């Protein structure tokens, strides 16, 4: 679709989604939020897709919620009523964030430029975050009177600890990609010119692995964060029991014993 706010392209088993409003640094409109969720849902339903890459068109990754979108734009006239931002979160951000976190395949964010507000937290919710050296992450919420959303309140303290999460969110400073890597917020910072190729290479590599187990690893980590040690051990037994019956495990173990490359097919 030429006027789509989310472009899709396929290379083998890797689907790339490109946020496509470059003149507004790919800020999220309600249309884009819906299109992005629908594209992820379609990828989840397509057994041929084994890894997803998400990136941005132009010089930005995503500047967060489009503040001029009619769904939230403040009125400038006396008597104009504020919009219910929580309703937008419930109807658009929450289903998108839950869909991303439940993807049956790994999802890579290739952060090609600034990622601000919900754009930053959406990227950080992906499984592996690569960023170009000119990219940056901004918890822009505090400066406009909001709290971190799109999963940020849950994710940030878990990723970098409470002190750093508060530093990032209360000050709202631009965090360069290299510092984000040093801090453990993202997987890797790369030269800008290498980002797209590195993201595709990483995605191709993941697509050859047993993606069912990779996606369940993410889900186990997320769930274990809310469990005590013994409950987490029991969760491991349960998941491992299911995976033990999977074709991928039979294939992986057989390939190891037969000294050959494994071919994984489960989704
Ligand atoms: O439901 C809800 O609404 C709640 C959800 C909230 C989630 C959120 O994401 S809240 C945070 C929203 N985002 C921001 O506050 C960030 C606003 N943007 C910026 O601070 C800056 O644009 C950046 C630091 C990200 C980049 O700065 P710079 O100097 O590289 O670019 P720029 O010139 O500011 O922006 C380029 C264009 O993009 C510009 O348009 P123009 O003047 O060329 O026509 C700018 O207005 C537009 N743009 C950037 N961010 C947004 C935006 N337009 C609408 N909404 C934006 N968020």
């Amino acid at each position: 679709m030429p006027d789509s706010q989310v472009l899709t392209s396929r290379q083998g088993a890797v689907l790339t989604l490109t946020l496509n409003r470059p003149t507004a640094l790919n800020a999220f409109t309600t249309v884009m939020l819906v299109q992005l969720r629908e594209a992820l849902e379609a990828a989840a339903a397509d057994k041929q897709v084994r890894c997803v890459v998400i990136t941005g068109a132009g010089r930005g990754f995503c500047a967060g919620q489009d503040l001029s979108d009619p769904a939230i734009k403040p009125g400038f006239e006396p008597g104009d009523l504020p919009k219910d931002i929580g309703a937008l979160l419930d109807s658009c951000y929450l289903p998108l964030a839950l869909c991303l976190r439940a993807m049956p395949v790994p999802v890579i964010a290739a952060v090609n430029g600034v990622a601000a507000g919900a754009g930053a937290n959406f990227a950080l919710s992906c499984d592996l975050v690569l960023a170009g050296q000119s990219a940056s992450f901004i918890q822009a919420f505090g400066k406009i009177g909001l709290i971190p959303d799109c999963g940020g309140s849950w994710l940030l303290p878990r990723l970098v600890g409470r002190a750093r999460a508060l530093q990032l969110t209360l000050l709202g400073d631009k965090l360069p990609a290299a510092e984000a890597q040093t801090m453990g917020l993202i997987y890797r910072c790369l030269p800008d010119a290498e980002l797209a190729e590195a993201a595709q290479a990483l995605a191709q590599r993941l697509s050859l692995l047993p993606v069912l187990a990779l996606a369940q690893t993410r889900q186990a980590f997320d769930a274990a964060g809310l469990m005590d040690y013994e409950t987490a051990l029991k969760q491991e037994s349960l998941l491992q029991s299911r995976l033990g019956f999977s074709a991928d495990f039979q294939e992986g173990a057989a390939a190891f014993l037969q000294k050959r490359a494994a071919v994984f097919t489960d989704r």
Side-chain angles (χ1 to χ4, degrees):
M1 242 189 295
D3 59 349
S4 177
Q5 296 186 14
V6 178
L7 305 178
T8 60
S9 66
R10 273 285 282 276
Q11 280 189 300
V14 174
L15 176 74
T16 300
L17 304 179
T18 303
L19 308 180
N20 186 38
R21 299 185 65 235
T23 54
L25 302 178
N26 305 314
F28 285 135
T29 59
T30 50
V31 170
M32 185 191 277
L33 289 164
V34 170
Q35 288 183 353
L36 185 53
R37 179 173 49 78
E38 287 176 349
L40 286 171
E41 285 172 350
D46 182 346
K47 301 279 186 205
Q48 303 306 311
V49 173
R50 297 181 60 82
C51 189
V52 175
V53 176
I54 302 176
T55 193
R59 72 178 177 89
F61 176 76
C62 175
Q65 170 62 39
D66 188 312
L67 298 174
S68 67
D69 191 278
I72 66 136
K73 186 181 175 186
F76 296 115
E77 301 301 323
D80 281 345
L81 293 175
K83 310 280 170 49
D84 182 353
I85 294 177
L88 178 63
L89 290 184
D90 280 346
S91 61
C92 287
Y93 282 95
L94 187 149
L96 172 65
L98 290 179
C99 174
L100 175 66
R101 217 59 187 183
M103 284 297 286
V105 297
V107 182
I108 297 170
V111 182
N112 53 301
V114 66
N121 291 339
F122 179 76
L124 296 173
S125 298
C126 294
D127 297 319
L128 293 174
V129 185
L130 298 180
Q133 64 196 1
S134 68
S136 55
F137 297 84
I138 310 176
Q139 293 296 322
F141 307 91
K143 286 186 179 163
I144 56 168
L146 298 177
I147 62 151
D149 62 19
C150 203
S153 64
W154 186 88
L155 192 63
L156 291 168
R158 285 173 166 80
L159 282 175
V160 293
R162 186 173 187 270
R164 279 181 163 153
L166 283 170
Q167 170 212 323
L168 293 174
T169 50
L170 299 194
L171 302 179
D173 290 333
K174 183 182 278 199
L175 181 74
E179 281 182 46
Q181 179 186 324
T182 305
M183 199 181 267
L185 190 68
I186 66 169
Y187 166 41
R188 211 173 148 203
C189 170
L190 299 152
D192 289 336
E194 295 173 19
L195 176 67
E197 201 174 319
Q200 286 299 321
L202 183 61
Q204 294 293 346
R205 176 180 159 193
L206 288 169
S207 76
L208 296 174
L209 294 173
V211 294
L212 175 69
L214 304 191
Q216 292 206 2
T217 301
R218 174 219 303 136
Q219 281 157 23
F221 281 179
D222 287 352
L226 307 172
M227 294 171 181
D228 62 27
Y229 183 60
E230 188 176 347
T231 310
L233 287 172
K234 287 178 180 158
Q235 176 188 238
E236 288 174 7
S237 301
L238 183 69
L239 292 174
Q240 217 68 304
S241 174
R242 283 189 206 144
L243 289 169
F245 290 109
S246 70
D248 277 357
F249 173 66
Q250 307 302 321
E251 166 66 4
F256 174 78
L257 295 173
Q258 295 164 2
K259 300 189 187 304
R260 61 173 173 81
V263 180
F264 296 110
T265 51
D266 276 335
R267 262 278 324 260

